[in-house]
Amino acid sequence: MVTKNDERSTEIKALSDTINEIRCALEKDSENDAIQLAKSGFQKALTLEVKSAAAWELSELMIELNLESEGLTLANKQLNLSWDSTDVTRYAGLLVLAGLEDKATQLLYDEAQKDSSRIDIIGNLIELVLSNSNWQIIDKLSITNSDISKLVGEVKRRAYPFIGEHLDVRRYTYSLAKIIVLGGAEDEGDTVQAYWFVQLDEYEAALILRRLLAWLQNEKIELSAVYSGDKMASPFALALAKKLGIEVCHEISSNGRTMRVFSSADTFQSVSKPINDNTLTFSLSVNELPSWQVALLQSPIDIVGIIAPTTLSWSEDSIVFPQLGAISSSYRDTQSEKSCVTLSPESIAESILKEFKELPYDDALGSILEFYKIHKERIRLYSGE
């Protein structure tokens, strides 16, 4: 005997299969096929009377395929099946994706009015307001929770100098999370652009290293040691330590000021070692802009090189030999055949330092230093001004 649950499972499985077919069509650049599959899946999904992750996923795909009306219709049905804060913020995100930021802002505001202690709603509303500078809607909220009210007030205070401006990556990240972004070679002046993807090589690492050193000098911050948080960060940590004439330590000491160096936020998140107030944390890259959760929890990352999905040129193939302390890197030999050579972190660090010596003049450096001289509220460095 086929039960109702069996039927629902079959329907959801069929919808999931359709989504996989859509993604395959997109991978083959067959957008027309993807659109037809999405329309077919839309009809199936509308019959669902239960919450379904597949239905939400199809909604997002439809919006990305410029089928905004159908995608939002499906998402709205899912939202009304179970009106909770997770689905409200998910629906707001789809409204933003469809270019309806004002509607998303109003939705989150209405929900926050019902209960201003819902930090997930308030947090997502803050993110939206940072994008559109609609602080008036925040000001109309009556927030009774003192911690949430303080969070909103601090973000607004940091963002106040930029009200009316488009917030680039540097201003957004500073306003929301007090994180310093050094930026890459393509960034001009005191602005940082949004990157889809960055291949971070020794040249880019050298440029970031020079900006990091200049910032440390400008802030009169003296490091006593550098700590490499992961294997792929070792070359940068070694290069930084050599430029400063200090050691790379294996344990973080409470004496002096140590800088932890990570290759990415992913590797950073896997490290749970506690740190003290004298420890600064630097990450060569972070995949995406910080979220409101970072603002609430006070991100232990202080400084970032680039915010973008990033691969390191010296970690291609990601082969690591911990017993040798060596990293495998791919290159083309003289016969243009792909070969594999094992490089030590020290040799890669030397390559970074060689690039450092040959760097051209950095037109953006002065503007970067001036920006952070003016906007200097940072975690563990300043209590706020």
Side-chain angles (χ1 to χ4, degrees):
M1 179 180 176
V2 178
T3 66
K4 199 104 178 162
N5 285 337
D6 291 334
E7 290 177 358
R8 288 172 180 169
S9 297
T10 301
E11 290 170 351
I12 292 172
K13 172 67 167 58
L15 186 57
S16 297
D17 290 343
T18 299
I19 289 170
N20 289 333
E21 290 174 10
I22 294 170
R23 295 199 180 282
C24 287
L26 289 173
E27 286 175 6
K28 296 175 182 176
D29 292 326
S30 302
E31 187 170 317
N32 288 334
D33 291 343
I35 288 172
Q36 293 307 313
L37 287 164
K39 287 180 176 179
S40 171
F42 170 69
Q43 297 301 327
K44 299 174 189 173
L46 277 182
T47 65
L48 288 174
E49 295 299 331
V50 293
K51 284 180 63 175
S52 165
W56 281 105
E57 189 175 354
L58 178 59
S59 299
E60 183 174 352
L61 280 170
M62 296 191 83
I63 294 170
E64 290 174 351
L65 289 167
N66 297 317
L67 300 171
E68 291 90 349
S69 178
E70 294 93 332
L72 291 175
T73 296
L74 178 57
N76 189 58
K77 177 171 182 182
Q78 282 291 307
L79 176 62
N80 284 294
L81 285 171
S82 176
W83 194 283
D84 60 35
S85 58
T86 300
D87 288 342
V88 167
T89 55
R90 185 181 290 178
Y91 185 68
L94 293 179
L95 286 171
V96 172
L97 185 62
L100 302 172
E101 280 198 6
D102 289 345
K103 285 190 175 182
T105 303
Q106 189 64 48
L107 171 65
L108 293 173
Y109 171 77
D110 291 342
E111 289 300 302
Q113 282 284 70
K114 296 175 188 175
D115 183 359
S116 65
S117 66
R118 294 165 67 181
I119 182 58
D120 53 344
I121 297 293
I122 300 288
N124 279 278
L125 182 56
I126 289 173
E127 288 183 20
L128 262 181
V129 166
L130 279 174
S131 299
N132 59 28
S133 292
N134 187 9
W135 285 102
Q136 296 90 336
I137 203 163
I138 291 286
D139 293 337
K140 289 193 295 182
L141 274 178
S142 176
I143 302 175
T144 55
N145 182 292
S146 58
D147 290 335
I148 296 176
S149 180
K150 181 182 177 184
L151 167 67
V152 173
E154 288 179 350
V155 174
K156 182 181 179 182
R157 173 166 47 80
R158 290 192 296 272
Y160 183 78
F162 318 124
I163 287 178
E165 300 179 25
H166 167 71
L167 294 191
D168 68 308
V169 170
R170 175 168 286 127
R171 285 162 178 77
Y172 181 93
T173 305
Y174 169 76
S175 297
L176 185 63
K178 299 185 286 186
I179 295 174
I180 296 164
V181 182
L182 298 174
E186 299 299 318
D187 297 314
E188 299 178 351
D190 66 0
T191 61
V192 174
Q193 61 184 292
Y195 292 97
W196 285 103
F197 177 80
V198 173
Q199 171 76 21
L200 205 152
D201 57 14
E202 286 87 342
Y203 172 83
E204 198 81 43
L207 179 81
I208 293 170
L209 175 61
R210 183 167 68 179
R211 290 180 179 177
L212 177 60
L213 289 168
W215 176 80
L216 289 168
Q217 182 178 22
N218 204 48
E219 297 294 339
K220 298 180 173 58
I221 296 171
E222 293 187 8
L223 299 179
S224 57
V226 177
Y227 172 85
S228 178
D230 62 78
K231 184 67 70 175
M232 292 301 113
S234 296
F236 190 92
L238 287 164
L240 173 61
K242 188 158 186 177
K243 291 298 295 183
L244 292 173
I246 58 178
E247 64 176 359
V248 175
C249 62
H250 299 291
E251 294 291 336
I252 296 174
S253 170
S254 57
N255 300 320
R257 189 184 288 281
T258 302
M259 176 169 282
R260 299 191 303 173
V261 175
F262 292 89
S263 60
S264 71
D266 290 338
T267 56
F268 163 77
Q269 288 166 358
S270 67
V271 176
S272 58
K273 290 183 179 179
I275 58 172
N276 55 57
D277 289 340
N278 286 328
T279 302
L280 292 175
T281 301
F282 169 82
S283 181
L284 262 174
S285 69
V286 171
N287 280 351
E288 57 189 14
L289 287 170
S291 65
W292 63 265
Q293 290 95 332
V294 172
L296 177 67
L297 301 174
Q298 295 209 334
S299 169
I301 294 180
D302 298 291
I303 312 157
V304 169
I306 291 177
I307 296 184
T310 306
T311 61
L312 303 179
S313 63
W314 57 85
S315 64
E316 292 177 2
D317 300 334
S318 298
I319 303 172
V320 182
F321 301 94
Q323 71 275 19
L324 300 176
I327 301 167
S328 177
S329 177
S330 296
Y331 74 100
R332 296 273 180 182
D333 63 17
T334 52
Q335 282 75 40
S336 298
E337 295 177 355
K338 195 171 185 183
S339 304
C340 191
V341 60
T342 299
L343 300 174
S344 69
E346 289 78 9
S347 64
I348 300 169
E350 286 302 321
S351 296
I352 294 172
L353 292 172
K354 181 181 178 183
E355 292 286 355
F356 188 99
K357 291 178 183 177
E358 300 172 2
L359 284 173
Y361 178 76
D362 188 351
D363 293 321
L365 184 56
S367 299
I368 295 168
L369 298 178
E370 181 64 20
F371 179 90
Y372 289 117
K373 203 68 179 175
I374 297 170
H375 309 290
K376 57 165 56 176
E377 183 182 336
R378 289 191 292 280
I379 300 164
R380 292 193 301 280
L381 292 181
Y382 299 92
S383 59
E385 298 181 356

